[in-house]
Amino acid sequence: MLVYVAKHLIFRVILSRQFFEGLVVGLSTMFIYVICTAEDKGVASMPEEKVRNVRINRSDKKFGSDPSVMARRVKDMRTLRPNQSSKMIDSMTEQDIKNGIRALMANVSIVDGLDSESEWLFMALLSEFAERDEKGMMEWVTRECNSMTADSIIVDRLRRKFQKKQPDNRQEFFEKGGELLSSDGRAALAGSMMLNTKDISTEDALFFLGHLSVGRSAISGNMGFADQFDFRTFAGSLVSMVSNIENSQNTLSAIPNNLLTEWVKRDPEEAFEFYQEYLYKKPYSILGNGYPEMIQGYVNSATEEQASSWLNDVLESTDLTDNEYSEVIDKLTRQEFGGVGFNEALLNKSSNRDVLMAEIAGAALRYSDAADRLGKSIQSFTSFDHYLESAMKAILGDSPIYSSEGRLINVLREMGRKEAEIEYVKSIYQEAKEIKLGR
């Protein structure tokens, strides 16, 4: 009884504000601590999680939706298991949810990022808000958050909804969903929808493409093309847009990574002709859609015999730039072409098998763990001397894979190779320089 009366009097004092605020807060806080400690005898010996749950439940009963209490409550909820937090969120009022979201946003913006626990809780609160009143949630974040954060939240919500439902009228979904977004937000939504459609039509793809913006950053991903998709028309529009971007550091706000790889699977002749005319050695490009990606798309869709013969002809021709050649060799190193056994089939077609083997091994030099990768690759050779002789031919042939003398020498030292071998490699590079000067 004494405990109840003491608590009641303290809260009457706080709410009436008849005493000096600082004195009341100080004395009441101290007294509450004493009372609560007495009332919860044994709580201190509980496991940390139970203590936290007691504190959260107490906040529910005593303070309702007080924003300052919600801040403390959210801090505790961050450390609960998802199923425990979900149960609590289900029981919250809409005002509780709003205050919880405010509390999470108080000290860190969504743009700067939240820690994983806070991010999960933030999305859980938003999702519950949206389940109860989706339009209300979007309007609320538009009022409460800065434009960039509001756009991020709304676009993410619409993207999730779009992926789940895949509505037939995608343009209408975009127009209705984008009503509260800024122009940048609409561009982000258009890009997200373009890249998350399972069987996009040419009409829809061109519609979303027309709503993209130009800037320093872009999202990228794979498009799911409809059976009768007009690749030439879409690729033509895309090239027209990227070729007109004045600042070379800028790009479209969304880029399909698999445009050329999918096109080449359906019509390789048309795809390669388009690349040759509109993209080959041009001052602009479509991110993720270079010649190496086209090669990968073709090789992975053709038979091993057909693909290995064709790729061998490509590698032995002079059509590839040094960068393109290096990228193709790197893909061979990572065995991204044609499945198990493809590298061996390709090597059997090569007129200079040892050089190609040395280049596939040498692509390991591009990685931070180059010594380990190169060491494993060299096992394909009959001996280390065999590798050195093959690498010598590649170096003397001006292979872009071995363009950095210092890198190869440093990796060989890291592997613990003999100084005599390293001096031999230096002599090879010197000979290659002399050959170049004599040309």
Side-chain angles (χ1 to χ4, degrees), residues 248-295:
S248 61
Q249 292 182 322
N250 288 345
T251 184
L252 289 179
S253 56
I255 299 289
N257 279 340
N258 62 333
L259 174 63
L260 296 182
T261 55
E262 290 302 314
W263 188 2
V264 81
K265 290 176 185 178
R266 300 191 190 187
D267 192 338
E269 186 176 343
E270 185 180 60
F272 280 113
E273 282 179 0
F274 182 91
Y275 185 89
Q276 187 71 25
E277 183 174 355
Y278 295 102
L279 290 167
Y280 184 62
K281 292 187 177 179
K282 294 292 192 292
Y284 55 82
S285 62
I286 304 174
L287 244 85
N289 288 272
Y291 204 68
E293 285 74 31
M294 292 185 73
I295 291 173

Side-chain angles (χ1 to χ4, degrees), residues 52 57 72 93 198 237 276-277 307 360 366 385 414:
R52 187 174 57 239
N57 290 333
R72 294 197 298 274
T93 65
K198 292 180 180 177
S237 296
Q276 187 71 25
E277 183 174 355
I360 292 173
R366 300 175 67 172
D385 286 343
E414 191 178 340

Side-chain angles (χ1 to χ4, degrees), residues 365-401:
L365 298 172
R366 300 175 67 172
Y367 296 89
S368 59
D369 57 342
D372 183 55
R373 286 175 182 261
L374 184 60
K376 290 176 181 176
S377 298
I378 288 174
Q379 293 172 11
S380 303
F381 296 83
T382 56
S383 65
F384 186 74
D385 286 343
H386 180 202
Y387 164 71
L388 283 182
E389 291 296 324
S390 303
M392 177 192 72
K393 293 176 184 177
I395 293 166
L396 294 177
D398 205 19
S399 168
I401 306 301

Side-chain angles (χ1 to χ4, degrees), residues 57-72:
N57 290 333
R58 228 181 238 151
S59 295
D60 267 348
K61 293 173 184 175
K62 295 179 181 178
F63 299 104
S65 296
D66 186 313
S68 63
V69 174
M70 276 304 304
R72 294 197 298 274

